[in-house]
Amino acid sequence: MSLFDGIPAVLVMADGTIYRGWSFGATGTAIGEVVFNTGMTGYQEVLTDPSYCGQMIVFTYPELGNTGINAEDEESFKPQARGAIARNICTRPSNWRSQQSLPDYLKQHQIPGIYGIDTRDLTRRIRQSGAMNGAISTEILDEAELLEQVQAYPSMKGLNLVQEVTTPTVYEWSDPTTSIWEFNPEAVANSAEPLTVVALDFGVKRNILRRLASYGCRVIVVPAHTTVEEILEYNPDGIFLSNGPGDPAAVTEGIETAKKLLSTNKPIFGICMGHQILGHALGAETFKLKFGHRGLNQPAGLKQQVEITSQNHSFAIDPDSLPVNTVEISHFNLNDHTVAGLRHKSLPVFSVQYHPEASPGPHDADYLFEEFVQTMRRAQQ
């Protein structure tokens, strides 16, 4: 795409900063919280991750779209981000799996993007001032008018976005990780009786469901508003609390459900939003991080063991609010020492702030799915 042929676009941040560039994807106007992702690969998985609902993503990797888009790598049925921000865009992808270019894909799904701006400067600004709302537009090029709309847009703090991404109906997931992508075939080889897992969908990624299926689980995905009574009708061996977007404290219905599930003594495993909701159910509080953790190389660990993890979240659990008599911290984020994992001291309940399915990202934490399965097997006995 030549700059001389491009459609002008503008990005206006809530603090009044203006970036002028060129449009890729759909034309129009989009408003959301502007956040940055430091991953060097996986832009399709990132854009289709429901945890990015309500946000516009700055990709720090300098060129986007080289490998195109394919149907296999989607984490949900469509892009979930409000917009995409890049330094440069590839319009002619070169990869044997490519089925469509990134600009055409975003245009098809009515997601606007802007490229040709200084993403390094924008990333530094977010790091210094914190994540903030912004707007991409090809139709409102008057900065003052666009800034007024941005400043009137609601903050992510206090926002419940789960209702926008949860499944409207119950469905069963049975597809494991495709054999050519299976990186741990010995661990997932399981001839035992399948375990029934009910996954409470706050915005679940498909590869999380694939990993559960690979470890021998029959996965029943239910809407976020499903009651405890309805969940228990499936006689589950375990409960999974999924990732999702927005402020976990605002997902009051999910927190109340998690509280009631704790009294059933069923094994519970939470990831990302599920980790935060479980924290609230256990009596803890969450707070909004300055600019969040979004990337593929976040170190997490405890007691001289380190995992390199894939993360995507704006909120974290306040360690001082944890009930220390019943809950222990199992992992810290080793960049800023925020809570990255919890474990109940007496119940078969644990959670992590990061993404052990790692799509994209490293596979250091895949053992957690096996640990969940082992916990369910012990509970059966």
PDB file of all heavy atoms in Angstrom, residues 134-147:
ATOM      1  N   GLY A 134      -8.851   6.571  23.226  1.00  0.00           N
ATOM      2  CA  GLY A 134      -8.441   7.234  22.003  1.00  0.00           C
ATOM      3  C   GLY A 134      -9.431   6.934  20.897  1.00  0.00           C
ATOM      4  O   GLY A 134     -10.332   6.095  21.062  1.00  0.00           O
ATOM      5  N   ALA A 135      -9.285   7.601  19.775  1.00  0.00           N
ATOM      6  CA  ALA A 135     -10.184   7.394  18.641  1.00  0.00           C
ATOM      7  C   ALA A 135      -9.394   7.382  17.349  1.00  0.00           C
ATOM      8  O   ALA A 135      -8.492   8.200  17.147  1.00  0.00           O
ATOM      9  CB  ALA A 135     -11.259   8.481  18.581  1.00  0.00           C
ATOM     10  N   ILE A 136      -9.723   6.433  16.469  1.00  0.00           N
ATOM     11  CA  ILE A 136      -9.210   6.393  15.101  1.00  0.00           C
ATOM     12  C   ILE A 136     -10.349   6.828  14.191  1.00  0.00           C
ATOM     13  O   ILE A 136     -11.478   6.336  14.330  1.00  0.00           O
ATOM     14  CB  ILE A 136      -8.769   4.972  14.704  1.00  0.00           C
ATOM     15  CG1 ILE A 136      -7.630   4.478  15.590  1.00  0.00           C
ATOM     16  CG2 ILE A 136      -8.365   4.920  13.234  1.00  0.00           C
ATOM     17  CD1 ILE A 136      -7.312   3.003  15.386  1.00  0.00           C
ATOM     18  N   SER A 137     -10.059   7.722  13.251  1.00  0.00           N
ATOM     19  CA  SER A 137     -11.122   8.150  12.341  1.00  0.00           C
ATOM     20  C   SER A 137     -10.572   8.514  10.970  1.00  0.00           C
ATOM     21  O   SER A 137      -9.477   9.073  10.856  1.00  0.00           O
ATOM     22  CB  SER A 137     -11.878   9.352  12.919  1.00  0.00           C
ATOM     23  OG  SER A 137     -12.978   9.683  12.091  1.00  0.00           O
ATOM     24  N   THR A 138     -11.352   8.165   9.963  1.00  0.00           N
ATOM     25  CA  THR A 138     -11.080   8.626   8.595  1.00  0.00           C
ATOM     26  C   THR A 138     -12.117   9.639   8.155  1.00  0.00           C
ATOM     27  O   THR A 138     -12.007  10.210   7.072  1.00  0.00           O
ATOM     28  CB  THR A 138     -11.122   7.440   7.609  1.00  0.00           C
ATOM     29  OG1 THR A 138     -12.429   6.835   7.656  1.00  0.00           O
ATOM     30  CG2 THR A 138     -10.067   6.406   7.952  1.00  0.00           C
ATOM     31  N   GLU A 139     -13.128   9.882   9.001  1.00  0.00           N
ATOM     32  CA  GLU A 139     -14.231  10.763   8.606  1.00  0.00           C
ATOM     33  C   GLU A 139     -14.295  12.028   9.458  1.00  0.00           C
ATOM     34  O   GLU A 139     -14.804  13.060   9.002  1.00  0.00           O
ATOM     35  CB  GLU A 139     -15.555   9.996   8.705  1.00  0.00           C
ATOM     36  CG  GLU A 139     -15.831   9.414  10.088  1.00  0.00           C
ATOM     37  CD  GLU A 139     -17.047   8.506  10.135  1.00  0.00           C
ATOM     38  OE1 GLU A 139     -17.668   8.304   9.067  1.00  0.00           O
ATOM     39  OE2 GLU A 139     -17.379   8.008  11.233  1.00  0.00           O
ATOM     40  N   ILE A 140     -13.799  11.966  10.696  1.00  0.00           N
ATOM     41  CA  ILE A 140     -13.767  13.161  11.559  1.00  0.00           C
ATOM     42  C   ILE A 140     -12.300  13.554  11.691  1.00  0.00           C
ATOM     43  O   ILE A 140     -11.586  13.054  12.559  1.00  0.00           O
ATOM     44  CB  ILE A 140     -14.391  12.885  12.942  1.00  0.00           C
ATOM     45  CG1 ILE A 140     -15.805  12.331  12.813  1.00  0.00           C
ATOM     46  CG2 ILE A 140     -14.405  14.158  13.787  1.00  0.00           C
ATOM     47  CD1 ILE A 140     -16.414  11.867  14.125  1.00  0.00           C
ATOM     48  N   LEU A 141     -11.844  14.433  10.844  1.00  0.00           N
ATOM     49  CA  LEU A 141     -10.439  14.826  10.859  1.00  0.00           C
ATOM     50  C   LEU A 141     -10.207  16.113  11.640  1.00  0.00           C
ATOM     51  O   LEU A 141      -9.080  16.594  11.731  1.00  0.00           O
ATOM     52  CB  LEU A 141      -9.920  14.964   9.419  1.00  0.00           C
ATOM     53  CG  LEU A 141     -10.012  13.666   8.583  1.00  0.00           C
ATOM     54  CD1 LEU A 141      -9.463  13.892   7.184  1.00  0.00           C
ATOM     55  CD2 LEU A 141      -9.297  12.515   9.265  1.00  0.00           C
ATOM     56  N   ASP A 142     -11.287  16.652  12.203  1.00  0.00           N
ATOM     57  CA  ASP A 142     -11.168  17.808  13.085  1.00  0.00           C
ATOM     58  C   ASP A 142     -10.798  17.302  14.476  1.00  0.00           C
ATOM     59  O   ASP A 142     -11.587  16.640  15.149  1.00  0.00           O
ATOM     60  CB  ASP A 142     -12.496  18.577  13.131  1.00  0.00           C
ATOM     61  CG  ASP A 142     -12.424  19.808  14.015  1.00  0.00           C
ATOM     62  OD1 ASP A 142     -12.407  19.647  15.254  1.00  0.00           O
ATOM     63  OD2 ASP A 142     -12.365  20.925  13.473  1.00  0.00           O
ATOM     64  N   GLU A 143      -9.573  17.610  14.927  1.00  0.00           N
ATOM     65  CA  GLU A 143      -9.071  17.055  16.182  1.00  0.00           C
ATOM     66  C   GLU A 143      -9.918  17.425  17.385  1.00  0.00           C
ATOM     67  O   GLU A 143     -10.159  16.613  18.276  1.00  0.00           O
ATOM     68  CB  GLU A 143      -7.625  17.491  16.434  1.00  0.00           C
ATOM     69  CG  GLU A 143      -6.634  16.976  15.406  1.00  0.00           C
ATOM     70  CD  GLU A 143      -6.351  18.011  14.329  1.00  0.00           C
ATOM     71  OE1 GLU A 143      -7.214  18.904  14.120  1.00  0.00           O
ATOM     72  OE2 GLU A 143      -5.281  17.929  13.696  1.00  0.00           O
ATOM     73  N   ALA A 144     -10.400  18.661  17.432  1.00  0.00           N
ATOM     74  CA  ALA A 144     -11.176  19.125  18.584  1.00  0.00           C
ATOM     75  C   ALA A 144     -12.489  18.357  18.700  1.00  0.00           C
ATOM     76  O   ALA A 144     -12.904  17.976  19.807  1.00  0.00           O
ATOM     77  CB  ALA A 144     -11.433  20.625  18.472  1.00  0.00           C
ATOM     78  N   GLU A 145     -13.134  18.132  17.568  1.00  0.00           N
ATOM     79  CA  GLU A 145     -14.403  17.395  17.580  1.00  0.00           C
ATOM     80  C   GLU A 145     -14.189  15.950  18.023  1.00  0.00           C
ATOM     81  O   GLU A 145     -14.962  15.403  18.823  1.00  0.00           O
ATOM     82  CB  GLU A 145     -15.027  17.426  16.189  1.00  0.00           C
ATOM     83  CG  GLU A 145     -16.364  16.701  16.107  1.00  0.00           C
ATOM     84  CD  GLU A 145     -16.943  16.690  14.695  1.00  0.00           C
ATOM     85  OE1 GLU A 145     -16.396  17.398  13.815  1.00  0.00           O
ATOM     86  OE2 GLU A 145     -17.930  15.961  14.476  1.00  0.00           O
ATOM     87  N   LEU A 146     -13.118  15.332  17.527  1.00  0.00           N
ATOM     88  CA  LEU A 146     -12.841  13.945  17.876  1.00  0.00           C
ATOM     89  C   LEU A 146     -12.415  13.827  19.344  1.00  0.00           C
ATOM     90  O   LEU A 146     -12.817  12.887  20.046  1.00  0.00           O
ATOM     91  CB  LEU A 146     -11.750  13.394  16.955  1.00  0.00           C
ATOM     92  CG  LEU A 146     -11.650  11.874  16.819  1.00  0.00           C
ATOM     93  CD1 LEU A 146     -12.989  11.269  16.409  1.00  0.00           C
ATOM     94  CD2 LEU A 146     -10.568  11.500  15.809  1.00  0.00           C
ATOM     95  N   LEU A 147     -11.626  14.777  19.831  1.00  0.00           N
ATOM     96  CA  LEU A 147     -11.194  14.772  21.225  1.00  0.00           C
ATOM     97  C   LEU A 147     -12.400  14.860  22.160  1.00  0.00           C
ATOM     98  O   LEU A 147     -12.436  14.209  23.214  1.00  0.00           O
ATOM     99  CB  LEU A 147     -10.234  15.928  21.481  1.00  0.00           C
ATOM    100  CG  LEU A 147      -9.736  16.086  22.923  1.00  0.00           C
ATOM    101  CD1 LEU A 147      -8.972  14.833  23.371  1.00  0.00           C
ATOM    102  CD2 LEU A 147      -8.849  17.325  23.054  1.00  0.00           C
TER     103      LEU A 147
END
